[in-house]
């Protein structure tokens, strides 16, 4: 939004900006939630809707100037007016752009209309009648490279040593780009070191879910990750992230040894204590059963140790949700049978005539690494997986 030459000192006004894109040293240390400024709310109305509807043919998105699919989770105001005609109004958050700035961002009005129409529509909104424009809204269109051409290490299957991450793979969003950049970066280094790639599985991280979705299913609209995309949400918790990622953190060496040692020590303490709670009785019940009672805390149990907070938290969570957690773990074990059934390189899908045509085409295109990945490809059904499994078991002719 603002251009500053690198050799010029940061101007005072810019140091005051606090929008995430403007974060700079002058804003450190900022404690989240502190020193907040008011953010206001207004709404579009019938007049706004009429202006937009009357000028839809001039919108880049609706006038056919842009052919791409818009971001479903971040609809433009034209999208909202067209797709939700039953709504008489839409939220517009009035967000100040900085502490000393007169600039505000009207969040909820992203659009691709000509400047004159933007002027008209802004002035139709209560509170914005006198607004002056500093920047106009705009739409961008970009190409992407089909992510099904990538391995789970984010390396191209077509061009060796080419790693792709972020929006170029058909995703949208900061987190999606960062997660893929992390994985592609790690794997580029592993390749340089002639070491095995690092894979993130669906069962251990949202990064794993994101990458598996991209490379096995592909994208037909800008992709965002959601918790609902994961089959095992109960295991992908924030509180257990350090434990889930311990193996990978050790392997790639990005976490200080002292943190790894401490986390490993916590794992031992959690397991030992959970085992003990299953064995020790109090009034005819195991301490584990007592801990599972509503409102019961670890510290309320008789004769318990003084353990670190992180360990106590894990014991309490794992005890209280153990039924559900166990069920998910059993599901994972069942699914892992498919994940470990590697599809050998000699498999030639053209030869497997018993596969349905659609399924064969998808498998040829995506070339999944194992039966689990194959089963998640849209259009490949369980009967196709059974045929493929038998074909692999029979071995190479
Ligand atoms: C206006 C706007 C608002 C957004 N708001 C949000 C939001 O609120 N939340 C959210 O999660 N996401 C938001 N996004 C989406 C998010 O910014 C992108 O999805 C994300 O930044 C993509 O990251 P990337 O690293 O894949 O690509 P980019 O961030 O686009 O990085 C690609 C880089 O490659 C460089 N480059 C291009 N060609 C070459 C070349 N030939 N040689 C060398 N370098 C080159 C570019 O200059 C650029 O720096 C927004 C996007 C826009 C445009």
């Amino acid at each position: 939004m603002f251009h500053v030459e690198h050799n010029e000192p940061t101007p005072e006004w810019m140091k005051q900006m606090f929008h995430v894109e403007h974060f700079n040293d002058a804003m450190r240390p900022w404690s989240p939630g502190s020193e907040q400024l008011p953010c206001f709310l207004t709404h579009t109305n019938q007049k706004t809707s009429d202006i937009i509807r009357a000028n839809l043919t001039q919108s880049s998105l609706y006038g056919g100037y842009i052919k791409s699919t818009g971001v479903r989770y971040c609809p433009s105001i034209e999208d909202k007016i067209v797709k939700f005609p039953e709504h008489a109004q839409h939220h517009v958050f009035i967000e100040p752009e900085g502490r000393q700035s007169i600039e505000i961002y009207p969040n909820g009005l992203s659009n691709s209309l000509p400047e004159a129409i933007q002027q008209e529509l802004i002035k139709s909104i209560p509170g914005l009648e006198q607004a002056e424009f500093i920047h106009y809204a705009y739409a961008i269109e970009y190409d992407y490279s089909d992510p099904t051409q990538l391995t789970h290490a984010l390396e191209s299957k077509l061009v060796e040593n080419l790693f792709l991450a972020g929006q170029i793979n058909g995703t949208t969003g900061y987190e999606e780009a960062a997660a893929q950049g992390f994985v592609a970066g790690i794997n580029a280094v592993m390749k340089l070191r002639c070491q095995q790639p690092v894979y993130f599985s669906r069962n251990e991280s949202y990064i794993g879910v994101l990458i598996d979705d991209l490379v096995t299913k592909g994208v037909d609209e800008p992709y965002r990750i959601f918790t609902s995309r994961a089959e095992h949400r109960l295991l992908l918790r924030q509180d257990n992230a350090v434990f889930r990622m311990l193996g990978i953190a050790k392997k790639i060496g990005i976490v200080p040894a002292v943190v790894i040692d401490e986390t490993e020590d916590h794992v031992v303490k959690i397991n030992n204590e959970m085992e003990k709670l299953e064995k020790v009785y109090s009034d005819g019940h195991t301490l584990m059963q007592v801990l599972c009672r509503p409102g019961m805390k670890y510290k309320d149990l008789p004769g318990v140790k003084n353990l670190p907070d992180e360990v106590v938290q894990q014991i309490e969570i794992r005890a209280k949700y153990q039924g559900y957690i166990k069920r998910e773990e059993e599901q994972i074990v069942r699914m892992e049978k498919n994940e470990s059934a590697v599809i050998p390189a000699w498999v030639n899908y053209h030869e497997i005539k018993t596969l349905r045509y659609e399924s064969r085409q998808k498998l040829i295109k995506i070339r999944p690494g194992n039966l689990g990945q194959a089963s998640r490809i849209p259009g490949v059904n369980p009967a196709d997986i059974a045929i493929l499994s038998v074909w692999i078991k029979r071995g190479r002719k």
Side-chain angles (χ1 to χ4, degrees):
M1 193 182 259
F2 301 97
H3 175 73
V4 180
E5 291 299 330
H6 289 303
N7 53 2
E8 285 176 9
T10 309
E12 274 312 305
W13 62 266
M14 195 170 175
K15 285 186 186 167
Q16 299 296 326
M17 305 302 279
F18 57 75
H19 203 257
V20 66
E21 285 86 0
H22 309 136
F23 200 88
N24 58 39
D25 282 345
M27 292 160 58
R28 283 175 230 278
W30 171 73
S31 143
S34 69
E35 295 179 67
Q36 299 215 6
L37 287 186
C39 175
F40 300 94
L41 179 62
T42 180
H43 296 90
T44 61
N45 51 35
Q46 192 55 46
K47 192 171 170 199
T48 324
S49 302
D50 292 345
I51 295 168
I52 293 170
R53 250 186 232 111
N55 292 286
L56 271 181
T57 53
Q58 296 192 62
S59 147
S60 312
L61 287 165
Y62 280 93
Y65 305 102
I66 286 183
K67 300 264 184 302
S68 318
T69 314
V71 188
R72 180 187 298 267
Y73 314 103
C74 211
S76 65
I77 189 69
E78 299 102 298
D79 256 343
K80 287 186 270 194
I81 301 289
V82 171
K83 290 181 182 160
F84 310 105
E86 69 280 14
H87 290 295
Q89 59 176 37
H90 295 280
H91 282 145
V92 180
F93 292 94
I94 303 298
E95 300 175 355
E97 280 283 298
R99 299 196 182 284
Q100 311 295 327
S101 172
I102 56 161
E103 196 169 337
I104 61 113
Y105 178 71
N107 192 344
L109 291 177
S110 71
N111 69 85
S112 61
L113 288 158
E115 294 180 0
I117 312 297
Q118 292 194 30
Q119 289 272 3
E120 229 187 297
L121 87 84
I122 282 284
K123 290 185 192 322
S124 72
I125 299 170
L128 304 184
E129 297 88 346
Q130 308 293 322
E132 294 287 339
F133 273 74
I134 298 176
H135 312 279
Y136 287 92
Y138 59 94
I140 53 160
E141 184 177 38
Y142 60 92
D143 292 325
Y144 72 99
S145 151
D146 182 352
T148 61
Q149 296 173 356
L150 301 174
T151 67
H152 278 70
L154 295 183
E155 182 178 4
S156 167
K157 292 174 188 165
L158 308 176
V159 183
E160 200 187 350
N161 297 329
L162 176 66
F163 290 80
L164 299 182
Q167 206 157 273
I168 195 164
N169 290 339
T171 62
T172 181
Y174 305 148
E175 297 81 5
E176 290 76 4
Q180 291 171 71
F182 179 60
V183 175
I186 291 168
N187 282 310
V189 172
M190 296 307 256
K191 191 89 192 261
L192 280 172
R193 292 181 180 167
C194 300
Q195 289 177 353
Q196 288 301 311
V198 174
Y199 297 120
F200 290 73
S201 79
R202 295 184 78 89
N203 310 334
E204 69 188 359
S205 65
Y206 281 102
I207 294 183
V209 175
L210 161 78
I211 292 178
D212 189 60
D213 278 352
L214 290 177
V215 309
T216 57
K217 297 180 186 162
V219 290
D220 51 15
E221 60 179 286
Y223 178 99
R224 289 224 78 161
I225 185 73
F226 296 111
T227 51
S228 57
R229 297 203 193 265
E231 299 81 349
H232 307 295
R233 258 184 287 178
L234 199 58
L235 301 185
L236 302 187
R237 307 188 307 272
Q238 215 172 332
D239 63 85
N240 67 357
V242 286
F243 303 105
R244 286 190 276 117
M245 294 292 100
L246 183 60
I248 287 182
K250 261 175 93 168
K251 184 169 178 184
I252 59 179
I254 55 164
V255 178
V258 54
V259 178
I260 297 281
D261 291 348
E262 188 188 54
T263 311
E264 285 183 332
D265 177 58
H266 286 173
V267 172
V268 172
K269 286 195 169 103
I270 294 164
N271 292 340
N272 288 349
E273 196 59 13
M274 301 242 344
E275 230 173 86
K276 196 192 91 186
L277 295 182
E278 293 281 10
K279 288 184 189 148
V280 178
Y281 281 78
S282 167
D283 291 335
H285 297 282
T286 65
L287 290 186
M288 183 62 87
Q289 287 167 330
V290 179
L291 181 57
C292 288
R293 289 180 192 152
M296 197 68 183
K297 295 277 180 196
Y298 175 78
K299 65 173 171 36
D300 303 329
L301 299 174
V304 290
K305 292 183 191 160
N306 187 16
L307 291 169
D309 289 348
E310 296 88 333
V311 172
V312 171
Q313 186 200 34
Q314 282 306 304
I315 292 171
E316 288 177 350
I317 292 172
R318 292 181 197 192
K320 289 185 190 292
Y321 293 94
Q322 63 179 323
Y324 302 103
I325 292 175
K326 194 159 168 259
R327 202 163 59 197
E328 293 229 321
E329 283 170 349
E330 284 166 0
Q331 273 175 10
I332 289 175
V333 171
R334 277 200 299 274
M335 281 174 56
E336 269 172 358
K337 278 197 191 138
N338 267 349
E339 297 300 318
S340 59
V342 173
I343 303 177
W346 55 258
V347 170
N348 179 351
Y349 296 107
H350 293 282
E351 289 175 354
I352 317 177
K353 301 288 181 221
T354 38
L355 281 177
R356 285 174 317 113
Y357 179 78
E358 181 193 2
S359 183
R360 198 176 324 131
Q361 293 305 309
K362 295 266 174 69
L363 291 163
I364 289 168
K365 180 171 175 239
I366 293 171
R367 287 163 40 205
N370 59 52
L371 290 183
Q373 290 165 16
S375 69
R376 289 191 291 276
I377 300 172
V380 177
N381 65 28
D384 301 316
I385 298 298
I387 291 167
L388 188 53
S389 166
V390 171
W391 189 270
I392 295 167
K393 279 195 196 119
R394 278 204 310 219
R396 194 175 198 164
K397 285 181 195 143

